[in-house]
Amino acid sequence: MNIVVCVKQTPDTAATVTVEDGKVSWGDAPLVLNPWDEFAVEEALRLKEAHGGEVTAISLGSEGATEALKQALAMGCDKAILVSDPNFSGLDSLQVSRVLAEAVKKVGEVDLLFFGRASVDSDTGITGSQVARRLGWPALTLVAAIKAIDPGAKTISVERMLEEGRQLVSGPIPAVMSVVKEINEPRYPSFMGIRKASKAEIPVWSGGDIGLTETLESAVTWPEVFAPPKIETQCEFVEGDTPVEIATKLVDRLVEEKVI
Amino acid sequence: MTQNILVYIDHFQGSPSSASWEAVGAAKTLAGELGASVTAIVVGAGVEAIAKEAITYGADSGVVADHAEFAEFRPEPYADALSKIAAEADVLLFPTSGRTRELAAMVAVDLDTGISPDVVAMEIDGGAVLSTRPIYAGKLLSKVITREKRPQILTLRSRAFPKPDPDDSRSGDVSSADIAPGEILTKVDGYSEAETGVSLSDAAVIVSGGRGVSNNPSLTPPDDITDEKEQEVWRAQAGFKLIGELAETLNAAVGASRAAVDAGYIPYVNQVGQTGKVVSPDLYIAAGISGAIQHLAGMRTAKTIVAINKDGEAPIFKLARFGIVGDLFEIVPALTQALREKLDK
Ligand SMILES: Cc1cc2nc3c(=O)[nH]c(=O)nc-3n(C[C@H](O)[C@H](O)[C@H](O)COP(=O)(O)OP(=O)(O)OC[C@H]3O[C@@H](n4cnc5c(N)ncnc54)[C@H](O)[C@@H]3O)c2cc1C
Ligand SMILES: Nc1ncnc2c1ncn2[C@@H]1O[C@H](COP(=O)(O)O)[C@@H](O)[C@H]1O
């Protein structure tokens, strides 16, 4: 099977993010493979191990933004491609999805295209569905388990995690999938994997390489980012001699403050 | 020219979500400022009543795409229908859910326009909707605007906008968009164990448990459970039983920290936080949760936070309005009892 995983480079989730001069800053926190995308990479690798084939990781980012791709290679992806062009900086998801869809087409015959559930920086979670729409492939989002896949018959059946419970859906491949953390436990890169990744030459595809040379106009703009107002809470500790006394006092306070 | 605002009403097999009515209410507010009209859109099978209900919540009119094959939600045929209906709209609002996130994303591609998901506030700026949405797991907020393209697509986070009271005396036209789905590629084969109880995203009150929920050495597991890990899960289940009873008394949903989920105490659907659900209840009770930054990311916008923790230095107390330093195995049942007496249950 020919599998592609779209991966994004994001700041570590433990980073302290602030706004400096109107721009987001994460200090010297490292840039990593978007944590949600680790599950996508892992699932792609497992399918390859079971059915044979190849896994390619694709990332759209600025020049030199190869940390996420190196991590994907270290986990075991066969190839990595950085899509990068001065014309592609600061795009919204409408245009990111366009670029990714064109890059996937250039990879050739693809059976499955994986996405993470969302980027941990922008928290949008829409790129996968948008790429699916552009490619005309079914979108199987929020997948918690692949129940069956038949590369010969080109069918797949998955379990999706919805607010209302787990939904079983089947459909044809090629298909786009976004995955949730229940699907697997991502592997740690092996020592050999890390060595291989650190030496890998990652090819860069420009707009010209994927047939997108016109200026891409984002539909949305972000006029301002700001830190949320500090929540000034003074914790009122409720004390007493027995649990019953403490509980009763708390309930009285909650009623007084009209919380309940 | 008067603008028109469309609100997509999200429903699961014919049951509309409460967040849909919040979206109708938010649309109504925008409409007041823009001098616009509000139309509720429902796609489904036998959904005319839902459009009528939307009118009681403030929509001026309704449009339904009603077809037997729309009975089970699939994003592709729903997006086909919605893109036709919304092609001329100025604003298209959705309540945020797993379904609408993908639906809105696809409609944005079809209509070549911008999308702002998970919006928590809106204002008018130069005739367009300037939205505010959390980024970096709520550590920052970003303003987002679609200046040129139409419709402007926004999905509104549940509980970020007030739910209007329905007014049964309101009336309006419900028309039918004559749209039949084309070939549908995917098939819904069924559902396994639907989640029971109050849903986290809609809950006004949430009681959550963390790793501390297994920490009761005085509980002795039955003799046949000898594995240490299994003993821990057994203890945690006893702890979550107490959490569940407190939740039931408050008609609340049960949440959990990732540590509790990872240790197998409770399913992932209950996880609150950066990699779980983001919730915004009126009251959030955290028991045996330390308050790691990734957990806070999921509940910091709760109106009132109550923390119960053995450790008075736990970071959760920094965000809490009320704190109890103590053992949750003693405090939680006492709290359930005190509430039952107060609320007469
Ligand atoms: C990428 C990433 C994403 C993450 N996403 C999430 C997320 O979405 N949600 C999330 O919650 N976490 C998330 N985490 C994990 C987070 O960092 C913490 O590890 C986790 O929240 C800790 O859970 P806890 O508070 O239950 O456990 P602990 O930190 O172990 O705290 C347990 C607390 O219970 C108290 N306690 C113990 N026994 C008792 C008792 N008998 N009575 C009262 N109190 C007691 C202790 O004093 C302690 O404060 C994420 C981490 C990473 C790296
Ligand atoms: N710049 C990018 N390059 C490659 N993949 C991306 C990029 N941005 C988003 N994705 C993918 O789309 C998913 C959802 O991202 P988002 O819609 O930005 O939340 C991520 O988990 C990635 O799999």
Side-chain angles (χ1 to χ4, degrees), chain A residues 6-8 34 37 58-60 96 100 115-119 122 124-128:
Chain A
C6 288
V7 298
K8 186 174 176 182
N34 178 32
D37 299 352
I58 295 186
S59 186
L60 163 62
V96 167
L100 291 176
F115 286 83
R117 168 180 153 170
S119 310
S122 64
T124 42
I126 54 182
T127 307

Side-chain angles (χ1 to χ4, degrees), chain B residues 103-119:
Chain B
L103 183 56
M106 290 184 180
V107 172
V109 167
D110 291 356
L111 302 179
D112 190 38
T113 187
I115 171 170
S116 178
D118 277 317
V119 167

Side-chain angles (χ1 to χ4, degrees), chain A residues 238 243-252 254 260, chain B residues 207 242 245-247 249-250 283 285-287 306-308 324 328-343:
Chain A
V238 181
V244 173
E245 188 190 332
I246 299 170
T248 311
K249 272 194 194 164
L250 175 66
V251 170
D252 289 343
L254 290 174
I260 52 175
Chain B
V207 186
L242 301 178
E245 285 163 2
L246 176 56
T249 313
L250 286 162
L283 172 60
I285 303 181
V306 173
I308 304 166
I324 295 177
L328 71 92
F329 281 87
E330 294 173 359
I331 301 295
V332 171
L335 202 48
T336 306
Q337 193 51 41
L339 278 162
R340 279 192 185 140
E341 282 161 19
K342 195 88 188 175
L343 305 173

Side-chain angles (χ1 to χ4, degrees), chain A residues 61-76:
Chain A
S62 52
E63 206 181 315
T66 52
E67 249 351 281
L69 289 171
K70 290 222 159 121
Q71 227 171 305
L73 284 173
M75 284 174 76

Side-chain angles (χ1 to χ4, degrees), chain A residues 12-14 35, chain B residues 209-213 215-216 256-260 271-277 287-296 308-311 314-316 326-329:
Chain A
D12 192 352
T13 53
Chain B
R211 204 199 305 269
V213 163
N215 183 22
N216 186 352
S257 72
R258 171 158 162 186
Q271 184 177 319
V272 171
Q274 177 158 2
T275 44
K277 294 210 169 74
I289 293 179
S290 62
I293 188 161
Q294 295 93 347
H295 187 78
L296 302 185
I308 304 166
N309 199 302
K310 264 187 160 167
D311 173 7
I316 187 83
D327 189 331
L328 71 92
F329 281 87

Side-chain angles (χ1 to χ4, degrees), chain A residues 10-17 26 29-32 35 120, chain B residues 136 139 274 294:
Chain A
T10 55
D12 192 352
T13 53
T16 310
V17 288
W26 48 86
L31 288 161
V32 297
V120 295
Chain B
Y136 291 89
K139 290 177 200 164
Q274 177 158 2
Q294 295 93 347

